[in-house]
């Protein structure tokens, strides 16, 4: 896990003052660290019969795609409004200032499938909380777990995950 943690770069005051941004690009560019990240996740879910991995825009796509491939599962994407071309379901959620929304294609999942949600960082949990609602409200699937590469423990994002089990590789 040190290999992974050492490959995450802190960028102070990005994208605005006071935010310590966890930059995962050094992790992605390190063949060893990226492989280790996907290997740890793959081992965790290998026997969980995951049918679909749902990646949350945008960095969730990167880890989600590699993990889905390794698990032999499908991949679907949860995106900001206006990005998905087919019929969508939408969930609005509140931010510190104002509102945002996420969407998913209406045929992204089939009833009865076992589903895993993934994003790069669990911060306040607003985004993943909305993603969980989006899935629960529109699909009769089994939400096996939500997964993150990084969890910022001090923001208590877990409180927004509606009791769905969660797993994070590294914690700060
Ligand atoms: P939140 O909804 O607050 O849990 O934020 C989650 C989303 O914002 C994730 O998709 C992250 O990519 C991004 N994010 C939030 N805080 C950070 C941070 N400190 N460093 C990197 N990404 C972050």
């Amino acid at each position: 896990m040190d290999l992974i943690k050492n490959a995450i770069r802190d960028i102070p005051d990005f994208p605005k003052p006071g935010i310590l941004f966890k930059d995962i690009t050094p992790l992605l560019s390190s063949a060893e660290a990226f492989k280790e990240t996907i290997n740890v996740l793959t081992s965790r879910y290998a026997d969980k019969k995951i049918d679909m991995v749902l990646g949350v825009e945008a960095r969730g796509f990167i880890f989600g795609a590699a993990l889905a491939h390794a698990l032999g599962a499908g991949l679907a994407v949860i995106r900001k409004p206006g990005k998905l071309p087919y019929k969508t379901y939408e969930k609005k959620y509140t931010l510190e200032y104002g509102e945002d929304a996420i969407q998913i294609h209406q045929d992204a999942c089939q009833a009865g499938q076992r589903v895993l949600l993934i994003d790069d960082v669990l911060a306040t949990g607003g985004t993943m909380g909305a993603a969980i609602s989006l899935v629960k409200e529109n699909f009769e699937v089994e939400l096996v777990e939500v997964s993150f590469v990084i969890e910022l423990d001090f923001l208590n994002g877990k409180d927004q995950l509606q009791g769905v089990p969660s797993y994070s590789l590294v914690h700060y």
Side-chain angles (χ1 to χ4, degrees):
M1 227 50 98
D2 277 354
L3 178 65
I4 297 170
K5 212 165 191 177
N6 291 337
I8 296 165
R9 175 166 57 194
D10 284 349
I11 309 281
D13 300 317
F14 183 88
K16 50 186 180 185
I19 305 284
L20 185 63
F21 192 84
K22 296 293 180 188
D23 177 16
I24 50 124
T25 62
L27 186 158
L28 298 174
S29 62
S30 160
E32 296 78 18
F34 188 36
K35 185 186 276 185
E36 177 69 6
T37 302
I38 300 305
N39 283 350
V40 172
L41 291 170
T42 305
S43 311
R44 182 171 179 88
Y45 299 112
D47 62 353
K48 296 286 193 296
K49 298 187 167 64
I50 304 294
D51 298 302
M52 289 296 298
V53 176
L54 306 187
V56 179
E57 183 160 351
R59 290 175 292 270
F61 300 169
I62 300 167
F63 298 103
L67 179 59
H69 176 76
L71 291 174
L75 174 76
V77 293
I78 293 177
R79 301 207 64 178
K80 295 287 167 65
K83 302 283 189 185
L84 289 169
Y86 184 59
K87 287 179 283 184
T88 57
Y89 296 122
E90 179 172 283
K91 182 73 191 179
K92 291 192 170 66
Y93 61 104
T94 47
L95 298 169
E96 204 177 343
Y97 306 108
E99 247 193 4
D100 209 344
I102 48 174
Q103 298 182 333
I104 190 168
H105 273 159
Q106 291 187 6
D107 62 354
C109 301
Q110 306 304 315
Q113 284 187 321
R114 290 172 60 79
V115 167
L116 175 72
L117 272 161
I118 187 162
D119 201 358
D120 64 333
V121 176
L122 175 62
T124 66
T127 309
M128 192 53 94
I132 290 169
S133 297
L134 180 68
V135 171
K136 279 188 170 177
E137 289 168 12
N138 295 293
F139 300 103
E140 292 187 1
V141 294
E142 190 162 343
L143 202 40
V144 176
E145 195 156 81
V146 296
S147 201
F148 305 91
V149 177
I150 300 162
E151 180 167 344
L152 306 179
D153 295 341
F154 54 94
L155 293 174
N156 299 314
K158 258 194 178 154
D159 296 349
Q160 306 303 317
L161 303 182
Q162 306 175 35
V164 177
S166 72
Y167 172 73
S168 306
L169 276 91
V170 299
H171 293 257
Y172 294 92

